[in-house]
Amino acid sequence: MQKTSLYDKTPRLCIEGVQHVAWRGYEDIAVELTAAVRRHGRQKTILAVDCYEGVREREVLPALINGLAPAAVVRTDDALPDAETIERMLRLHLTDDRVFGILCHYPIESFFDPHKWRRLQEEVRECPEGLVLVYGPGAALLTHPDILVYADMARWEIQQRFRGGELANWCADNRGQDPQLQYKRSFFVNWRVLDRYKKTLLPGLDYLLDTNARDDPRLLTGAALREGWRQAVRRPFRLVPYFDPGVWGGQWMKRVCGLDPDKPNYAWCFDCVPEENSLLFEVDGVTVETPAIDLVFAQPKALLGERVHARFGAEFPIRFDLLDTMGGGNLSLQVHPLTEYIQDAFGMHYTQDESYYILDAEKNASVYLGVKEKTRPAQLISALKQAQKTGRFDAERFVNRLPAKKHDHFLIPGGTIHCSGAGTVVLEISATPYIFTFKLWDWGRLGMDGRPRPVHLGHGAKNIQFDRDTAFVRSQLAGQAGQVASGDGWTEEATGLHEREFIETRRHRFCRTVAHDTGGGVNVLNLVEGEEAVVESPESAFAPFTVHFAETFIVPAQVGAYTVTPVGRSAGREIVTIKAYVRT
């Protein structure tokens, strides 16, 4: 078993070369914003505090009013139509499904009542002098602000607020609703709308307001934030991981990642999902949390590379996460959609192709992958339907169960039936559309909320590829690793992925320095064996960057050449990395 890791749960990026650009606490923030109003030097100053979904208005707005003493306050939410009107507008996007909707492409303007909107604009214009505080989503759109503050929010924190029952979705009166339904509404509607709008604000915002921690806000100048993004894409960095329990969750991550031992389990570690992870910037002794997706929006070409950006736009296409079933149970038996299905049914651009890299495994661990030879589609679907009634399903009658050991790599293109068995720690390397899992059978379990976990046999039956059988799995999806290069103290192996998948993976085993190059595209790596390694620039273009066992890190396309060397407790010993990048 792997010794306890040095795993860093709060990696930070220090913004170099700037100072006096960050403040903490409402009192200091009010002092800085008041000074900014004075520097503006006009009789009437409009300060817009635009907001992402999830910001606690009951905390933030009273604190700003108390600290700034504005002559007038205008809330953009006062221009929203009634909830029934919004529901009618979004009915096709929200669907009747508990998990899946259809991506929304409405602009933010569509969510406001035109008459109420014009009335708010008149209120702002009619205020003769003093400070006018315009607050809420769309604040910068309502007027032409003299000072623009953006109150941003990490999606993982939004989810915690949904689960805690304290938060309603923007444009909905649904506080306390099933968090799964709230998440669905955000994923398919609100986050899409607000992200498109936020992209237009990031280049010109004057301040970022971080309110992720209750009653502990942080303020960062827009100039410093943009400098932080510029510095981030010139060096390797990590996102802030988050961990979540699950009905099949295990005990491995508690020890290796230093997590709360009193929790029942941890099922997931998401440590490279920019859509939901955060970046921590450190400056002036203040730590500011920002959504990692903002970096993708702000620096897409430098981060992703020209070719990857041309193909995916401002989206980060590679996802790394950990699945812990060590001392837990099987994942659900599942399938991911084919490309045309995810496009037609949900409006997504590309599908959730993936792979399982076995980071650790107990004796007799296994992975379920592909249908068995001569499996009849109607027979399998009938048995799965019957299982929903009886609670019994003989998975091994229909699905291949393969032995899994440490460093095995199983490839899972969309349409392949699969699941990881108990007793494994999987490094899931996949494309980023990360909620499109069609559960076919969940071993008769209830979810962590005590409710049946959603099964999507209707979707799944339309996507299972029955030619992904035993022979196909053995020849194309398992045991595909092969050496492609070697040198003094290192070897490089290609481990996949399948030709239907756009991600290429390379494993390096080494006891000395290994040279890498981004090749003009973003690289994502994980130290899958060994205690510690250092990532360096041959030309000293960035400071040495230390990584530890099980940590995922990103090397932006702009970095170019870099090296990885065993250090510390791993110096002189063989260690292993797995690297993923987009094929060109």
Side-chain angles (χ1 to χ4, degrees):
M1 297 288 287
Q2 179 75 31
K3 296 179 181 178
T4 301
S5 173
L6 301 172
Y7 191 94
D8 184 0
K9 297 186 289 296
T10 55
R12 292 172 170 82
L13 277 159
C14 293
I15 306 178
E16 306 291 345
V18 295
Q19 56 184 346
H20 309 307
V21 294
W23 299 265
R24 181 175 182 179
Y26 284 113
E27 184 176 345
D28 286 352
I29 288 171
V31 169
E32 169 57 23
L33 293 180
T34 299
V37 171
R38 289 173 180 164
R39 289 194 297 270
H40 198 263
R42 292 183 181 177
Q43 284 190 326
K44 177 179 176 180
T45 302
I46 301 173
L47 189 155
V49 180
D50 218 306
C51 300
Y52 202 71
E53 181 174 63
V55 176
R56 291 187 179 98
E57 180 179 307
R58 287 176 293 178
E59 171 194 327
V60 177
L61 186 54
L64 292 175
I65 293 173
N66 182 62
L68 300 175
V73 178
V74 175
R75 296 173 63 255
T76 59
D77 278 2
D78 289 339
L80 293 175
D82 61 83
E84 185 177 342
T85 299
I86 293 289
E87 293 302 313
R88 283 198 303 269
M89 182 176 78
L90 300 179
R91 187 169 296 153
L92 292 177
H93 296 281
L94 295 178
T95 74
D96 294 327
D97 193 286
R98 187 180 172 208
V99 177
F100 300 118
I102 300 173
L103 290 189
C104 176
H105 288 87
Y106 289 132
I108 191 172
E109 294 92 329
S110 301
F111 289 79
F112 296 105
D113 180 291
H115 300 291
K116 294 180 179 180
W117 188 256
R118 286 192 291 271
R119 193 176 307 129
L120 292 185
Q121 289 178 320
E122 290 173 6
E123 282 187 38
V124 174
R125 285 194 297 266
E126 289 173 0
C127 187
E129 60 182 34
L131 174 63
V132 180
L133 174 61
V134 183
Y135 180 93
L141 191 66
L142 184 71
T143 183
H144 297 289
D146 300 302
I147 301 169
L148 173 58
V149 178
Y150 193 84
D152 216 343
M153 179 62 53
R155 291 185 184 175
W156 177 238
E157 174 60 23
I158 295 172
Q159 292 178 62
Q160 300 314 297
R161 296 180 185 187
F162 286 151
R163 293 179 186 181
E166 65 164 295
L167 180 64
N169 285 107
W170 180 57
C171 298
D173 183 17
N174 64 352
R175 183 177 288 108
Q177 187 186 46
D178 176 2
Q180 180 69 62
L181 292 174
Q182 291 183 301
Y183 176 85
K184 182 189 78 169
R185 188 182 187 115
S186 292
F187 183 92
F188 286 96
V189 178
N190 291 359
W191 295 344
R192 305 297 162 173
V193 172
L194 294 175
D195 280 351
R196 282 193 293 272
Y197 172 58
K198 179 167 65 172
K199 287 179 191 178
T200 69
L201 302 182
L202 294 178
L205 63 88
D206 296 295
Y207 296 94
L208 175 86
L209 180 61
D210 164 20
T211 63
N212 285 280
R214 184 187 292 272
D215 297 317
D216 189 10
R218 327 290 171 93
L219 187 74
L220 181 67
T221 66
L225 177 64
R226 290 183 284 273
E227 178 60 25
W229 290 330
R230 284 190 288 269
Q231 292 182 17
V233 295
R234 296 172 185 165
R235 56 184 175 179
F237 64 91
R238 291 186 59 228
L239 306 183
V240 182
Y242 66 87
F243 305 85
D244 213 17
V247 293
W248 43 262
Q251 305 299 312
W252 186 91
M253 285 193 293
K254 288 184 184 180
R255 174 176 53 82
V256 171
C257 301
L259 306 179
D260 185 350
D262 295 328
K263 295 291 185 182
N265 69 63
Y266 286 96
W268 291 276
C269 167
F270 294 98
D271 59 351
C272 184
V273 187
E275 284 77 3
E276 296 204 359
N277 287 116
S278 297
L279 271 175
L280 294 181
F281 284 118
E282 188 80 20
V283 62
D284 287 345
V286 177
T287 299
V288 179
E289 182 174 1
T290 69
I293 193 63
D294 291 359
L295 174 63
V296 184
F297 294 157
Q299 294 283 337
K301 292 182 183 179
L303 176 63
L304 303 175
E306 288 283 351
R307 292 187 298 272
V308 178
H309 177 251
R311 183 172 178 180
F312 294 97
E315 294 187 14
F316 198 91
I318 301 172
R319 181 187 78 169
F320 275 38
D321 61 89
L322 298 180
L323 311 174
D324 181 2
T325 68
M326 197 82 78
N330 297 340
L331 272 67
S332 62
L333 191 66
Q334 57 193 244
V335 67
H336 299 302
L338 300 170
T339 300
E340 60 267 32
Y341 194 87
I342 203 170
Q343 290 173 342
D344 292 344
F346 308 113
M348 296 293 294
H349 306 304
Y350 57 101
T351 195
Q352 190 170 319
D353 293 316
E354 65 182 27
S355 69
Y356 287 167
Y357 189 94
I358 307 301
L359 192 60
D360 206 348
E362 296 175 340
K363 187 178 180 180
N364 300 322
S366 62
V367 164
Y368 293 81
L369 186 62
V371 297
K372 286 193 170 179
E373 302 282 1
K374 300 181 180 179
T375 295
R376 297 178 182 177
Q379 192 176 34
L380 172 58
I381 300 306
S382 176
L384 287 168
K385 288 180 178 177
Q386 191 67 21
Q388 309 310 315
K389 302 175 183 178
T390 65
R392 294 186 301 275
F393 177 73
D394 185 3
E396 292 185 50
R397 176 186 172 194
F398 299 101
V399 183
N400 302 298
R401 184 179 179 183
L402 308 178
K405 63 183 185 301
K406 187 172 182 176
H407 294 307
D408 284 346
H409 198 178
F410 300 94
L411 316 180
I412 313 171
T416 308
I417 194 169
H418 66 281
C419 86
S420 177
T424 64
V425 179
V426 170
L427 173 63
E428 195 173 41
I429 302 173
S430 71
T432 297
Y434 48 90
I435 71 165
F436 292 93
T437 297
F438 302 145
K439 295 183 182 68
L440 307 172
W441 166 243
D442 201 30
W443 315 96
R445 299 175 296 208
L446 297 177
M448 297 291 284
D449 58 2
R451 302 177 60 181
R453 299 178 78 205
V455 171
H456 285 90
L457 190 52
H459 286 305
K462 297 173 184 176
N463 285 274
I464 298 171
Q465 301 299 288
F466 286 87
D467 59 349
R468 312 270 174 87
D469 57 14
T470 308
F472 184 95
V473 168
R474 288 174 176 169
S475 65
Q476 299 194 43
L477 302 184
Q480 301 301 299
Q483 183 173 312
V484 295
S486 63
D488 184 13
W490 62 271
T491 60
E492 178 182 354
E493 300 167 292
T495 69
L497 300 184
H498 188 263
E499 65 181 357
R500 287 187 61 90
E501 305 179 77
F502 61 77
I503 295 173
E504 180 67 27
T505 55
R506 295 298 175 93
R507 177 170 58 206
H508 287 82
R509 302 178 184 270
F510 55 106
C511 59
R512 298 185 181 180
T513 299
V514 176
H516 293 258
D517 197 294
T518 63
V522 65
N523 289 187
V524 181
L525 296 89
N526 188 287
L527 182 60
V528 295
E529 187 168 311
E531 294 286 326
E532 198 170 10
V534 63
V535 186
E536 297 176 288
S537 166
E539 300 177 352
S540 300
F542 57 82
F545 178 77
T546 301
V547 296
H548 309 102
F549 176 65
E551 292 180 351
T552 296
F553 61 100
I554 296 168
V555 184
Q558 186 170 294
V559 166
Y562 63 100
T563 63
V564 185
T565 306
V567 294
R569 290 183 281 184
S570 295
R573 300 179 180 180
E574 183 178 87
I575 65 175
V576 185
T577 58
I578 188 78
K579 175 173 69 174
Y581 55 92
V582 175
R583 292 189 184 120
T584 57

